Amino acid sequence: MDLKEESLLTEIAIAYYEHELTQEEIAQKFNISRIKVGRLLRKARQEGVVEINVRYHPVFTSQLEKRLIDEFGIQRALIAIDEHNENDQRKQVAALVSSYLSNTLKDGMTVAIGQGRNVAAVGEHVGIFPDKQCKFICGIGGVQRNGEPVDADHTCRNLARKFNGINETLYAPAYLEDKSFRDVFMQNGVIKETLDRARKADIALVGIGDMNENSYMVQLGWFTPQEVTEAKIHQGAIGDIAGYGFFNLQGEPIDTVMNNRVIGLSLEDLRAIPCVIGIASESTKAMAILGALRTGIINIIATSASNVNTILNLSKV
């Protein structure tokens, strides 16, 4: 698209969307046909000259929440407005989870924390938060901090600072290549005591992942793209909770070669926690969210309005 055409698209878009001229009026003003006006307006959207954002009214999102509750029997749905930018979408979802925690946490409560960008965003959300004498405890071991810090310990410390609470570190690596090493670590007294306390948490914050060959876990080197593909194609794995608890579209757990490598709370451990908040902001994760909801482990889902619409449509199939 040359500069002249871009200028014309911009002028027509301004006339239509800002000055609210009709297509007929624009045709007369620019001495072109009405059909060409419609074609140029479509091209303005396709070329990014015009961006249309739908802002959902609270009544609309409350209706979506009710439908999710009726369909899956969950406690709440925290539904964010849609954003084109992935980071902006993550921030919107994180803000809702932060607000929920502000209104829900009571002195003496314990919150088990998972890892990942969506969970970390909750800890990074800026705002004024009431003091809560709560404990934020790692539900998974630590990871090497390459780039943005998304490990559970970092998020625990952020949340403890926000709410003037305390945090507890799980002194173990999150991932071990050899299952036998992992079994030894799981029997260590310090690690076992921390995980036992995490199992008794009142609330857990966990991410929901999809089976993506370029997922964060693959980037960390925990799983290979081939292992992810094998689990997806041959075993029907559709997603994971907390980065390593795999399930199919029906919400049934999948025993993959990737199981038993991670030091952290299991799916059954999470099932025993009264309130598990699953967080997934990305538009690619609707199928994974649907499977996660069907596990019965997720009590509160935090995601976008478009994801909720997709989930509700998929659940009918």
Side-chain angles (χ1 to χ4, degrees):
M1 182 171 61
D2 59 29
L3 187 61
K4 183 178 179 181
E5 184 182 20
E6 185 176 3
S7 176
L8 177 62
L9 291 179
T10 303
E11 287 188 69
I12 288 175
I14 291 172
Y16 186 73
Y17 290 104
E18 290 191 9
H19 299 162
E20 299 183 347
L21 297 183
T22 66
Q23 292 189 25
E24 185 64 39
E25 290 171 332
I26 294 171
Q28 292 175 6
K29 179 178 180 179
F30 289 89
N31 195 28
I32 55 179
S33 70
R34 186 180 180 281
I35 292 174
K36 187 172 182 179
V37 172
R39 188 163 60 245
L40 290 172
L41 286 172
R42 284 194 298 274
K43 188 169 184 178
R45 293 196 296 272
Q46 293 167 356
E47 296 290 343
V49 174
V50 173
E51 291 185 355
I52 299 175
N53 294 312
V54 178
R55 297 288 176 172
Y56 292 102
H57 191 277
V59 171
F60 179 77
T61 55
S62 66
Q63 290 171 347
L64 287 179
E65 179 180 14
K66 184 180 184 306
R67 290 174 63 191
L68 272 184
I69 292 171
D70 292 343
E71 180 73 23
F72 299 102
I74 58 177
Q75 297 173 13
R76 286 288 313 274
L78 308 176
I79 305 172
I81 61 172
D82 291 321
E83 298 284 353
H84 289 295
N85 182 276
E86 187 175 282
N87 289 329
D88 291 340
Q89 187 70 79
R90 190 174 294 117
K91 290 175 183 177
Q92 289 280 359
V93 174
L96 292 180
V97 178
S98 291
S99 177
Y100 178 83
L101 292 176
S102 295
N103 295 325
T104 304
L105 290 179
K106 295 181 174 57
D107 291 350
M109 293 180 76
T110 298
V111 185
I113 302 298
Q115 65 171 14
R117 289 174 293 183
N118 284 302
V119 177
V122 179
E124 293 163 1
H125 179 67
V126 178
I128 300 173
F129 301 94
D131 287 358
K132 303 285 185 179
Q133 300 305 309
C134 297
K135 174 182 279 190
F136 299 90
I137 184 168
C138 295
I140 186 172
V143 299
Q144 184 178 358
R145 295 181 183 178
N146 293 324
E148 54 186 334
V150 296
D151 62 304
D153 186 53
H154 180 82
T155 304
C156 277
R157 293 176 188 275
N158 276 347
L159 287 168
R161 280 194 293 268
K162 282 170 58 169
F163 291 103
N164 197 28
I166 59 175
N167 63 281
E168 181 174 349
T169 300
L170 176 58
Y171 290 104
Y175 171 81
L176 290 166
E177 293 182 357
D178 192 316
K179 178 184 178 301
S180 62
F181 289 165
R182 184 249 187 198
D183 292 342
V184 171
F185 268 79
M186 291 291 281
Q187 294 304 313
N188 174 270
V190 174
I191 295 170
K192 190 174 183 301
E193 287 174 10
T194 298
L195 283 176
D196 283 344
R197 283 190 283 272
R199 291 183 181 104
K200 297 174 182 175
D202 302 284
I203 297 173
L205 297 186
V206 295
I208 297 173
D210 55 357
M211 300 304 292
N212 187 328
E213 291 82 356
N214 193 38
S215 71
Y216 183 67
M217 303 306 157
V218 172
Q219 292 176 28
L220 283 174
W222 290 14
F223 315 128
T224 67
Q226 292 76 20
E227 288 171 335
V228 172
T229 300
E230 174 75 19
K232 180 168 59 174
I233 294 177
H234 297 292
Q235 295 181 276
I238 195 69
D240 66 79
I241 294 175
Y244 54 92
F246 301 96
F247 51 83
N248 62 21
L249 187 57
Q250 288 69 46
E252 301 161 340
I254 298 291
D255 187 15
T256 76
V257 295
M258 298 176 283
N259 288 23
N260 301 315
R261 298 188 193 177
V262 176
I263 296 176
L265 298 177
S266 68
L267 292 182
E268 289 310 306
D269 290 334
L270 291 170
R271 193 183 300 277
I273 294 175
C275 179
V276 177
I277 303 176
I279 313 171
S281 63
E282 296 84 354
S283 60
T284 58
K285 291 185 175 179
M287 293 279 282
I289 297 169
L290 175 58
L293 289 170
R294 286 173 170 170
T295 67
I297 292 171
I298 304 299
N299 306 107
I300 297 176
I301 187 67
T303 189
S304 67
S306 59
N307 272 344
V308 173
N309 271 316
T310 302
I311 292 161
L312 288 169
N313 289 330
L314 287 171
S315 67
K316 298 173 184 176
V317 178

